PDB file of all heavy atoms in Angstrom:
ATOM      1  N   TYR A  93      22.303  -8.103  -7.026  1.00  0.00           N
ATOM      2  CA  TYR A  93      20.924  -7.766  -6.700  1.00  0.00           C
ATOM      3  C   TYR A  93      19.965  -8.418  -7.694  1.00  0.00           C
ATOM      4  O   TYR A  93      20.058  -8.206  -8.908  1.00  0.00           O
ATOM      5  CB  TYR A  93      20.739  -6.249  -6.684  1.00  0.00           C
ATOM      6  CG  TYR A  93      19.373  -5.814  -6.246  1.00  0.00           C
ATOM      7  CD1 TYR A  93      18.880  -6.169  -4.998  1.00  0.00           C
ATOM      8  CD2 TYR A  93      18.573  -5.060  -7.075  1.00  0.00           C
ATOM      9  CE1 TYR A  93      17.619  -5.774  -4.592  1.00  0.00           C
ATOM     10  CE2 TYR A  93      17.320  -4.656  -6.680  1.00  0.00           C
ATOM     11  CZ  TYR A  93      16.844  -5.022  -5.436  1.00  0.00           C
ATOM     12  OH  TYR A  93      15.600  -4.629  -5.045  1.00  0.00           O
ATOM     13  N   VAL A  94      19.029  -9.202  -7.191  1.00  0.00           N
ATOM     14  CA  VAL A  94      18.110  -9.971  -8.024  1.00  0.00           C
ATOM     15  C   VAL A  94      17.159  -9.067  -8.803  1.00  0.00           C
ATOM     16  O   VAL A  94      16.826  -9.343  -9.955  1.00  0.00           O
ATOM     17  CB  VAL A  94      17.313 -10.961  -7.135  1.00  0.00           C
ATOM     18  CG1 VAL A  94      16.248 -11.678  -7.924  1.00  0.00           C
ATOM     19  CG2 VAL A  94      18.256 -11.954  -6.489  1.00  0.00           C
ATOM     20  N   GLY A  95      16.736  -7.966  -8.205  1.00  0.00           N
ATOM     21  CA  GLY A  95      15.799  -7.059  -8.860  1.00  0.00           C
ATOM     22  C   GLY A  95      16.319  -6.489 -10.168  1.00  0.00           C
ATOM     23  O   GLY A  95      15.541  -6.198 -11.076  1.00  0.00           O
ATOM     24  N   THR A  96      17.629  -6.357 -10.281  1.00  0.00           N
ATOM     25  CA  THR A  96      18.210  -5.842 -11.519  1.00  0.00           C
ATOM     26  C   THR A  96      18.023  -6.838 -12.653  1.00  0.00           C
ATOM     27  O   THR A  96      17.704  -6.454 -13.781  1.00  0.00           O
ATOM     28  CB  THR A  96      19.700  -5.538 -11.324  1.00  0.00           C
ATOM     29  OG1 THR A  96      19.847  -4.697 -10.186  1.00  0.00           O
ATOM     30  CG2 THR A  96      20.291  -4.854 -12.531  1.00  0.00           C
ATOM     31  N   TYR A  97      18.210  -8.124 -12.368  1.00  0.00           N
ATOM     32  CA  TYR A  97      18.018  -9.145 -13.398  1.00  0.00           C
ATOM     33  C   TYR A  97      16.562  -9.213 -13.842  1.00  0.00           C
ATOM     34  O   TYR A  97      16.274  -9.381 -15.033  1.00  0.00           O
ATOM     35  CB  TYR A  97      18.487 -10.509 -12.887  1.00  0.00           C
ATOM     36  CG  TYR A  97      19.981 -10.599 -12.735  1.00  0.00           C
ATOM     37  CD1 TYR A  97      20.591 -10.459 -11.502  1.00  0.00           C
ATOM     38  CD2 TYR A  97      20.787 -10.817 -13.843  1.00  0.00           C
ATOM     39  CE1 TYR A  97      21.957 -10.523 -11.361  1.00  0.00           C
ATOM     40  CE2 TYR A  97      22.164 -10.891 -13.717  1.00  0.00           C
ATOM     41  CZ  TYR A  97      22.746 -10.747 -12.475  1.00  0.00           C
ATOM     42  OH  TYR A  97      24.101 -10.808 -12.353  1.00  0.00           O
ATOM     43  N   ILE A  98      15.648  -9.054 -12.903  1.00  0.00           N
ATOM     44  CA  ILE A  98      14.229  -9.058 -13.253  1.00  0.00           C
ATOM     45  C   ILE A  98      13.893  -7.847 -14.117  1.00  0.00           C
ATOM     46  O   ILE A  98      13.162  -7.955 -15.108  1.00  0.00           O
ATOM     47  CB  ILE A  98      13.365  -9.104 -11.982  1.00  0.00           C
ATOM     48  CG1 ILE A  98      13.587 -10.438 -11.258  1.00  0.00           C
ATOM     49  CG2 ILE A  98      11.889  -8.911 -12.308  1.00  0.00           C
ATOM     50  CD1 ILE A  98      12.960 -10.527  -9.898  1.00  0.00           C
ATOM     51  N   ALA A  99      14.451  -6.692 -13.792  1.00  0.00           N
ATOM     52  CA  ALA A  99      14.222  -5.486 -14.587  1.00  0.00           C
ATOM     53  C   ALA A  99      14.794  -5.646 -15.998  1.00  0.00           C
ATOM     54  O   ALA A  99      14.162  -5.237 -16.980  1.00  0.00           O
ATOM     55  CB  ALA A  99      14.842  -4.282 -13.896  1.00  0.00           C
ATOM     56  N   LEU A 100      15.980  -6.238 -16.100  1.00  0.00           N
ATOM     57  CA  LEU A 100      16.557  -6.492 -17.423  1.00  0.00           C
ATOM     58  C   LEU A 100      15.684  -7.459 -18.228  1.00  0.00           C
ATOM     59  O   LEU A 100      15.536  -7.307 -19.443  1.00  0.00           O
ATOM     60  CB  LEU A 100      17.980  -7.041 -17.279  1.00  0.00           C
ATOM     61  CG  LEU A 100      19.057  -6.011 -17.008  1.00  0.00           C
ATOM     62  CD1 LEU A 100      20.342  -6.682 -16.524  1.00  0.00           C
ATOM     63  CD2 LEU A 100      19.329  -5.177 -18.245  1.00  0.00           C
ATOM     64  N   GLY A 101      15.098  -8.439 -17.550  1.00  0.00           N
ATOM     65  CA  GLY A 101      14.185  -9.362 -18.221  1.00  0.00           C
ATOM     66  C   GLY A 101      12.944  -8.663 -18.737  1.00  0.00           C
ATOM     67  O   GLY A 101      12.490  -8.914 -19.856  1.00  0.00           O
ATOM     68  N   GLU A 102      12.401  -7.742 -17.940  1.00  0.00           N
ATOM     69  CA  GLU A 102      11.229  -6.973 -18.376  1.00  0.00           C
ATOM     70  C   GLU A 102      11.557  -6.134 -19.604  1.00  0.00           C
ATOM     71  O   GLU A 102      10.768  -6.056 -20.552  1.00  0.00           O
ATOM     72  CB  GLU A 102      10.746  -6.062 -17.252  1.00  0.00           C
ATOM     73  CG  GLU A 102      10.147  -6.778 -16.073  1.00  0.00           C
ATOM     74  CD  GLU A 102       9.876  -5.839 -14.895  1.00  0.00           C
ATOM     75  OE1 GLU A 102      10.010  -4.611 -15.059  1.00  0.00           O
ATOM     76  OE2 GLU A 102       9.549  -6.354 -13.820  1.00  0.00           O
ATOM     77  N   ALA A 103      12.719  -5.486 -19.580  1.00  0.00           N
ATOM     78  CA  ALA A 103      13.122  -4.655 -20.722  1.00  0.00           C
ATOM     79  C   ALA A 103      13.321  -5.508 -21.972  1.00  0.00           C
ATOM     80  O   ALA A 103      12.923  -5.112 -23.071  1.00  0.00           O
ATOM     81  CB  ALA A 103      14.394  -3.886 -20.382  1.00  0.00           C
ATOM     82  N   ALA A 104      13.921  -6.677 -21.810  1.00  0.00           N
ATOM     83  CA  ALA A 104      14.140  -7.559 -22.958  1.00  0.00           C
ATOM     84  C   ALA A 104      12.802  -8.048 -23.515  1.00  0.00           C
ATOM     85  O   ALA A 104      12.635  -8.141 -24.742  1.00  0.00           O
ATOM     86  CB  ALA A 104      15.020  -8.738 -22.551  1.00  0.00           C
ATOM     87  N   ARG A 105      11.843  -8.341 -22.642  1.00  0.00           N
ATOM     88  CA  ARG A 105      10.518  -8.762 -23.118  1.00  0.00           C
ATOM     89  C   ARG A 105       9.843  -7.652 -23.903  1.00  0.00           C
ATOM     90  O   ARG A 105       9.236  -7.892 -24.948  1.00  0.00           O
ATOM     91  CB  ARG A 105       9.620  -9.153 -21.944  1.00  0.00           C
ATOM     92  CG  ARG A 105       9.795 -10.577 -21.507  1.00  0.00           C
ATOM     93  CD  ARG A 105       8.837 -10.968 -20.412  1.00  0.00           C
ATOM     94  NE  ARG A 105       7.458 -10.799 -20.819  1.00  0.00           N
ATOM     95  CZ  ARG A 105       6.461 -10.521 -19.981  1.00  0.00           C
ATOM     96  NH1 ARG A 105       6.697 -10.370 -18.693  1.00  0.00           N
ATOM     97  NH2 ARG A 105       5.237 -10.394 -20.419  1.00  0.00           N
ATOM     98  N   LYS A 106       9.942  -6.408 -23.418  1.00  0.00           N
ATOM     99  CA  LYS A 106       9.314  -5.284 -24.131  1.00  0.00           C
ATOM    100  C   LYS A 106       9.991  -5.040 -25.475  1.00  0.00           C
ATOM    101  O   LYS A 106       9.354  -4.557 -26.406  1.00  0.00           O
ATOM    102  CB  LYS A 106       9.370  -4.014 -23.286  1.00  0.00           C
ATOM    103  CG  LYS A 106       8.345  -4.035 -22.189  1.00  0.00           C
ATOM    104  CD  LYS A 106       7.837  -2.655 -21.891  1.00  0.00           C
ATOM    105  CE  LYS A 106       6.743  -2.784 -20.849  1.00  0.00           C
ATOM    106  NZ  LYS A 106       6.224  -1.519 -20.446  1.00  0.00           N
ATOM    107  N   ALA A 107      11.286  -5.378 -25.565  1.00  0.00           N
ATOM    108  CA  ALA A 107      11.998  -5.215 -26.826  1.00  0.00           C
ATOM    109  C   ALA A 107      11.736  -6.371 -27.790  1.00  0.00           C
ATOM    110  O   ALA A 107      12.198  -6.348 -28.923  1.00  0.00           O
ATOM    111  CB  ALA A 107      13.500  -5.089 -26.563  1.00  0.00           C
ATOM    112  N   GLY A 108      11.004  -7.387 -27.322  1.00  0.00           N
ATOM    113  CA  GLY A 108      10.711  -8.538 -28.175  1.00  0.00           C
ATOM    114  C   GLY A 108      11.804  -9.587 -28.163  1.00  0.00           C
ATOM    115  O   GLY A 108      11.839 -10.451 -29.027  1.00  0.00           O
ATOM    116  N   LEU A 109      12.689  -9.520 -27.191  1.00  0.00           N
ATOM    117  CA  LEU A 109      13.805 -10.462 -27.089  1.00  0.00           C
ATOM    118  C   LEU A 109      13.511 -11.471 -25.974  1.00  0.00           C
ATOM    119  O   LEU A 109      14.129 -11.443 -24.915  1.00  0.00           O
ATOM    120  CB  LEU A 109      15.112  -9.713 -26.809  1.00  0.00           C
ATOM    121  CG  LEU A 109      15.477  -8.623 -27.814  1.00  0.00           C
ATOM    122  CD1 LEU A 109      16.644  -7.801 -27.316  1.00  0.00           C
ATOM    123  CD2 LEU A 109      15.792  -9.253 -29.159  1.00  0.00           C
ATOM    124  N   GLN A 110      12.554 -12.376 -26.228  1.00  0.00           N
ATOM    125  CA  GLN A 110      12.124 -13.295 -25.195  1.00  0.00           C
ATOM    126  C   GLN A 110      13.227 -14.248 -24.750  1.00  0.00           C
ATOM    127  O   GLN A 110      13.318 -14.589 -23.572  1.00  0.00           O
ATOM    128  CB  GLN A 110      10.897 -14.090 -25.662  1.00  0.00           C
ATOM    129  CG  GLN A 110       9.596 -13.343 -25.532  1.00  0.00           C
ATOM    130  CD  GLN A 110       9.425 -12.232 -26.540  1.00  0.00           C
ATOM    131  OE1 GLN A 110      10.010 -12.256 -27.609  1.00  0.00           O
ATOM    132  NE2 GLN A 110       8.630 -11.246 -26.207  1.00  0.00           N
ATOM    133  N   GLY A 111      14.082 -14.672 -25.648  1.00  0.00           N
ATOM    134  CA  GLY A 111      15.187 -15.558 -25.275  1.00  0.00           C
ATOM    135  C   GLY A 111      16.147 -14.894 -24.295  1.00  0.00           C
ATOM    136  O   GLY A 111      16.587 -15.504 -23.313  1.00  0.00           O
ATOM    137  N   LYS A 112      16.451 -13.645 -24.546  1.00  0.00           N
ATOM    138  CA  LYS A 112      17.321 -12.890 -23.637  1.00  0.00           C
ATOM    139  C   LYS A 112      16.625 -12.661 -22.300  1.00  0.00           C
ATOM    140  O   LYS A 112      17.247 -12.719 -21.245  1.00  0.00           O
ATOM    141  CB  LYS A 112      17.685 -11.554 -24.286  1.00  0.00           C
ATOM    142  CG  LYS A 112      18.816 -10.831 -23.617  1.00  0.00           C
ATOM    143  CD  LYS A 112      19.231  -9.632 -24.464  1.00  0.00           C
ATOM    144  CE  LYS A 112      20.512  -9.053 -23.947  1.00  0.00           C
ATOM    145  NZ  LYS A 112      20.981  -7.944 -24.787  1.00  0.00           N
TER     146      LYS A 112
END
Side-chain angles (χ1 to χ4, degrees):
Y93 185 59
V94 174
T96 307
Y97 290 100
I98 295 171
L100 280 165
E102 291 171 8
R105 275 184 59 209
K106 283 213 176 177
L109 304 170
Q110 279 72 25
K112 194 171 190 177

